[in-house]
Amino acid sequence: MKTLYLDAFSGISGDMFVGALLDLGVDFNQFETELAKLNVTGYYLQATRIAKSSIYGTDFDVQLTAVQKDTGFVEHYHDHPHTTHEHDHHHQNARHLSEILTLIDNSDLSDYVKKNAKQVFTEIAQAEAVVHQVPVAEIHFHEVGALDSIVDIVGAFVALELLGVDQVYSSELTDGSGFIHVAHGMMPVPVPAVMQMRVNSQVPIKQNPEIQTELITPTGMGIIKTIVNQFTAIPADQTILKVGYGFGKRETNQLNALRVLLCEKKN
């Protein structure tokens, strides 16, 4: 029985999660090969081992190729008219939930990856629909919808499957405080979609007043809600086999990383 334990002292985002699993030893070439089964082009992956605060970890990044930024991705999905809300006019390459689910369904990914990736997207869309008071079908994934988030979310489950994890435990999550600047103005932290995703859920979150930015992204929260079996301290019956770090992109006044522990049950 392999257990993955998330030590989320600085929140969680999709790229932090993938970076942390690569840092645990998920083979990058294998990861790329599996992810290619999504059958989407216009991106390349970067995973770099770097040191922050003298601690080594992995910085994972999805880079969009230049053409990509201008055209959006998978152009053959454009055979139906889009309805947009005024707050979405500036998102050229935003996608509807149904398009993303279809893309995943039509891919050659494993059933495990498909099922879980679709669940994360659905979680986020449902939360955004409540926040913006629009039907789920009309939600445009702006922050998520672009290609990099699709790769982050699908990649999260590709990496988990390659790691062969049976269950996932997590510490309490830490978010920042204050406000962040987004396309629509100033948003409170936790951001509205993350706060909405807490409805009827048992995810424990504490806020760090020292850090004036978002640490838990909607993608990170969606992954947490989909994979975590239990929020607990590291169980005493687990032996820690390996520790990995996935770095976040925001500069905070402390180590911005997700620490993950690969454990197995003591005999």
Side-chain angles (χ1 to χ4, degrees), residues 128-147:
E128 296 280 9
V130 174
V131 170
H132 299 300
Q133 291 290 284
V134 296
V136 171
E138 288 178 35
I139 278 294
H140 270 63
F141 278 87
H142 28 280
E143 296 182 67
V144 177
L147 189 51

Side-chain angles (χ1 to χ4, degrees), residues 91 124 189 205:
H91 293 291
I124 298 167
V189 177
I205 295 179

Side-chain angles (χ1 to χ4, degrees), residues 36-253:
K37 294 179 179 177
L38 187 55
N39 300 325
V40 162
T41 55
Y43 70 92
Y44 62 96
L45 305 177
Q46 284 182 316
T48 323
R49 285 215 89 217
I50 57 171
K52 288 197 177 183
S53 309
S54 300
I55 296 165
Y56 269 84
T58 297
D59 184 35
F60 173 72
D61 210 14
V62 180
Q63 295 284 346
L64 302 187
T65 51
V67 182
Q68 188 58 38
K69 286 180 175 154
D70 303 329
T71 60
F73 74 101
V74 270
E75 289 303 318
H76 55 277
Y77 278 93
H78 284 273
D79 48 9
H80 56 86
H82 279 195
T83 53
T84 55
H85 293 278
E86 50 301 311
H87 68 267
D88 281 322
H89 278 315
H90 52 282
H91 293 291
Q92 285 307 299
N93 58 354
R95 292 291 174 272
H96 286 109
L97 176 66
S98 59
E99 291 176 85
I100 294 173
L101 299 184
T102 302
L103 177 70
I104 293 170
D105 273 331
N106 291 344
S107 73
D108 300 313
L109 295 160
S110 75
D111 289 344
Y112 167 84
V113 174
K114 284 181 180 179
K115 175 174 146 285
N116 288 290
K118 289 195 302 183
Q119 190 174 329
V120 173
F121 273 110
T122 304
E123 277 276 355
I124 298 167
Q126 286 169 342
E128 296 280 9
V130 174
V131 170
H132 299 300
Q133 291 290 284
V134 296
V136 171
E138 288 178 35
I139 278 294
H140 270 63
F141 278 87
H142 28 280
E143 296 182 67
V144 177
L147 189 51
D148 53 348
S149 297
I150 293 176
V151 174
D152 276 346
I153 290 171
V154 170
F157 297 103
V158 165
L160 264 180
E161 193 168 43
L162 288 172
L163 204 55
V165 165
D166 301 295
Q167 56 185 10
V168 182
Y169 291 165
S170 177
S171 67
E172 173 180 53
L173 309 184
T174 300
D175 206 346
S177 314
F179 288 81
I180 59 161
H181 222 355
V182 295
H184 316 311
M186 296 298 277
M187 258 190 204
V189 177
V191 294
V194 168
M195 192 57 103
Q196 182 59 36
M197 287 160 102
R198 295 183 71 178
V199 172
N200 294 324
S201 89
Q202 302 304 308
V203 181
I205 295 179
K206 66 167 189 251
Q207 287 183 259
N208 182 344
E210 302 290 302
I211 295 181
Q212 299 284 306
T213 189
E214 157 198 51
L215 296 177
I216 301 170
T217 65
T219 298
M221 185 68 167
I223 291 170
I224 287 284
K225 282 187 74 173
T226 302
I227 65 171
V228 176
N229 304 95
Q230 208 180 322
F231 293 93
T232 174
I234 301 164
D237 64 353
Q238 298 283 332
T239 303
I240 298 169
L241 304 175
K242 195 163 185 194
V243 180
Y245 292 85
F247 290 125
K249 301 288 180 278
R250 292 178 193 277
E251 287 304 318
T252 59
N253 55 13

